[in-house]
Amino acid sequence: MPAPKSRTLRPSRESFQNSGWLPKSQEAFHDYMNKLSKKVEKQRKLIRVGDAALLQPVQEFKNFIESEPTVYGEFIRMFEDATQDDTGLPSSYEDLIDLINEIFRQAPAFGDLGPPMYMIMANIMNTQGGFSAFTKENLNRHFKEMFVAWALFLTSKDSRDVLVDSDNGWLSAEAKDKMVEQYPGRTFEQVFICDTSADYYGYTSYEDFFNRRFREPETDRPTGDLTNNAIVSFATESTSYAYQENVQKYDELFIKDEAYSLQHLLAGHNVEDFVGGTVLQGFLNTTGYHRWHAPVNGTIKQIVDVPGTYFAQAPNTIGEPTEDTDAPPYLQSLRFFANTAARQLIFIQADNDQIGLMCVVSIGMTEISTCQATVYEGQHVVRGEDLGMFHFGGSSSALVFRASSGVEIDDVYKVPEVPLKINYPLNTNTPNIPSSPMVPPGLIRHG
């Protein structure tokens, strides 16, 4: 059997920063941590005099750590092993609990930071104690309960205080420009449905804003010929991260640059159909568009929610430097997440018989971990039609094809930092796919 052809298309640190996964600078990070620490100290004083309390799921998380000897020991060890500095990062699990309690009381603001939970946990994730703790199923259940509580707030009207046009507001000129970087010559108001005459642009919550819809998809993300069943497009607005051919049923998840192991990636579902097939993975911009769209014309055969981890980075990256590298260890772990993180699988039986069964994998990363399908099993979808969404941000996604699918991914998508845009054909080199005028500007189609 030929060896798998594998490419990790790892983007540069600058690309991850531009996509909102890393602070733009140490100054931005220090400023955020200083402000967060002041809020935490104020909350601690209220708790000490009985005028406030930890959020219920946060208190239960604390109780769990303190009542489970193994987990308690791992939390002690991860903080002993973590690199400490004067940036305000937590130095104990008690500090971590207080920071989480404050983060989950507010909606993320626009700015130069990155996902706040990842920011405060990056150091302890990069330890053996962290890996051991964060791969435990019972601990991840508590993380999920905390995310559910945060979700209730982010879907409430009180979460709209960040939907303003002042500094760090999502409706500021800087934020709106950032959100339409991939739509040249277009404004936020032109690209996305909103009501500029209403408070908060008419959005009912932070979540309603973050899962905004296209106003004119036929202008900004045209589907092209929907009668051509051979066309395949990506399901999410992403940047290329990894590509692998001849994917195996079982593969080693602990090697450098990782691998896809179908038994784990697909959680045991339809595995034999995809042995020897192809995986293309991308990651989303945290400020971007977070809905998923059908990559082919076909019928939804199966939808699977897979519980998994939230803060466990690839074990081969543990202890690697977090600064002065192309990407910190966590962001070198996206393939590992595809196999282990909380995710949703949507299997689609393509109308094109040769493409056959394919899968859309939506992968959670840190606090951005809730996936929701908006289709049902047995429903027929047309390429470009809504499939579902990430809640509270965007993460990573992948397409999985069978070995005999006949899908030939264009070479242009097998290099780093290339936009993977919904509705744009990925396979113009495949027979019966006409040369497309929809190739993203600035990209060169090879073939």
Side-chain angles (χ1 to χ4, degrees), residues 172-358:
S172 65
E174 182 183 0
K176 289 191 293 184
D177 287 346
K178 181 68 176 177
M179 288 183 282
V180 293
E181 278 184 339
Q182 294 297 322
Y183 312 89
R186 303 276 284 168
T187 66
F188 178 90
E189 293 79 6
Q190 291 171 328
V191 174
F192 299 110
I193 294 175
C194 59
D195 182 355
T196 58
S197 66
D199 290 342
Y200 310 106
Y201 268 28
Y203 295 115
T204 59
S205 65
Y206 175 85
E207 163 65 5
D208 184 38
F209 158 76
F210 231 71
N211 271 311
R212 55 197 176 271
R213 293 179 178 273
F214 286 125
R215 186 183 294 277
E216 299 176 2
E218 66 280 3
T219 297
D220 294 301
R221 290 295 180 266
T223 54
D225 182 8
L226 292 176
T227 67
N228 189 335
N229 290 331
I231 296 177
V232 174
S233 50
F234 209 66
T236 60
E237 290 283 301
S238 303
T239 299
S240 56
Y241 180 86
Y243 172 81
Q244 183 173 331
E245 298 173 359
N246 192 27
V247 183
Q248 298 303 295
K249 181 175 182 178
Y250 292 102
D251 214 330
E252 177 60 71
L253 303 184
F254 297 84
I255 60 175
K256 186 172 178 59
D257 274 342
E258 317 138 80
Y260 297 108
S261 178
L262 287 170
Q263 183 67 29
H264 303 98
L265 174 68
L266 302 180
H269 297 273
N270 306 302
V271 172
E272 296 296 339
D273 290 310
F274 293 96
V275 173
T278 299
V279 177
L280 176 65
Q281 183 178 357
F283 68 95
L284 282 74
N285 189 318
T286 60
T287 62
Y289 179 78
H290 298 95
R291 292 179 177 270
W292 325 324
H293 293 255
V296 294
N297 296 337
T299 301
I300 307 298
K301 299 299 291 184
Q302 189 177 15
I303 301 172
V304 183
D305 288 304
V306 183
T309 62
Y310 299 98
F311 295 99
Q313 70 186 45
N316 66 285
T317 69
I318 298 297
E320 291 192 0
T322 58
E323 299 294 332
D324 301 320
T325 61
D326 284 344
Y330 177 74
L331 293 173
Q332 297 177 31
S333 304
L334 268 63
R335 283 205 203 195
F336 181 75
F337 301 149
N339 294 285
T340 62
R343 59 199 181 279
Q344 187 174 79
L345 316 174
I346 300 181
F347 292 93
I348 304 174
Q349 185 69 39
D351 289 347
N352 181 294
D353 290 338
Q354 184 172 3
I355 294 175
L357 190 67
M358 58 87 60

Side-chain angles (χ1 to χ4, degrees), residues 46 114 126 131 148 180 222 233 358:
L46 294 175
N126 196 30
F131 179 80
V148 168
V180 293
S233 50
M358 58 87 60

Side-chain angles (χ1 to χ4, degrees), residues 56-266:
Q56 183 61 32
V58 177
Q59 180 65 58
E60 292 172 359
F61 180 62
K62 182 174 185 288
N63 294 344
F64 173 75
I65 293 172
E66 295 175 339
S67 63
E68 291 288 331
T70 301
V71 174
Y72 177 78
E74 289 164 343
F75 268 84
I76 296 299
R77 182 158 61 103
M78 73 176 75
F79 282 101
E80 289 178 346
D81 294 344
T83 302
Q84 299 294 342
D85 52 32
D86 60 354
T87 59
L89 284 171
S91 59
S92 67
Y93 79 86
E94 294 96 338
D95 287 346
L96 178 66
I97 292 292
D98 289 340
L99 290 169
I100 291 174
N101 188 62
E102 185 60 35
I103 287 172
F104 284 175
R105 293 175 182 272
Q106 55 192 335
F110 171 77
D112 296 332
L113 180 68
M117 281 289 288
Y118 166 55
M119 292 297 103
I120 68 169
M121 295 186 66
N123 274 12
I124 56 175
M125 288 163 58
N126 196 30
T127 65
Q128 290 294 342
F131 179 80
S132 180
F134 299 146
T135 51
K136 284 184 163 53
E137 183 178 354
N138 50 5
L139 182 69
N140 282 296
R141 284 200 296 268
H142 282 278
F143 276 126
K144 182 171 183 178
E145 289 303 312
M146 290 192 290
F147 294 147
V148 168
W150 195 26
L152 292 176
F153 173 72
L154 295 178
T155 54
S156 74
K157 64 180 182 180
D158 291 340
S159 65
R160 296 181 298 179
D161 61 347
V162 294
L163 304 184
V164 293
D165 60 8
S166 55
D167 289 346
N168 298 120
W170 285 100
L171 299 180
S172 65
E174 182 183 0
K176 289 191 293 184
D177 287 346
K178 181 68 176 177
M179 288 183 282
V180 293
E181 278 184 339
Q182 294 297 322
Y183 312 89
R186 303 276 284 168
T187 66
F188 178 90
E189 293 79 6
Q190 291 171 328
V191 174
F192 299 110
I193 294 175
C194 59
D195 182 355
T196 58
S197 66
D199 290 342
Y200 310 106
Y201 268 28
Y203 295 115
T204 59
S205 65
Y206 175 85
E207 163 65 5
D208 184 38
F209 158 76
F210 231 71
N211 271 311
R212 55 197 176 271
R213 293 179 178 273
F214 286 125
R215 186 183 294 277
E216 299 176 2
E218 66 280 3
T219 297
D220 294 301
R221 290 295 180 266
T223 54
D225 182 8
L226 292 176
T227 67
N228 189 335
N229 290 331
I231 296 177
V232 174
S233 50
F234 209 66
T236 60
E237 290 283 301
S238 303
T239 299
S240 56
Y241 180 86
Y243 172 81
Q244 183 173 331
E245 298 173 359
N246 192 27
V247 183
Q248 298 303 295
K249 181 175 182 178
Y250 292 102
D251 214 330
E252 177 60 71
L253 303 184
F254 297 84
I255 60 175
K256 186 172 178 59
D257 274 342
E258 317 138 80
Y260 297 108
S261 178
L262 287 170
Q263 183 67 29
H264 303 98
L265 174 68
L266 302 180

Side-chain angles (χ1 to χ4, degrees), residues 412-424:
V412 69
Y413 298 111
K414 301 176 186 177
V415 295
E417 301 183 29
V418 172
L420 298 168
K421 301 186 179 184
I422 59 171
N423 300 341
Y424 284 86

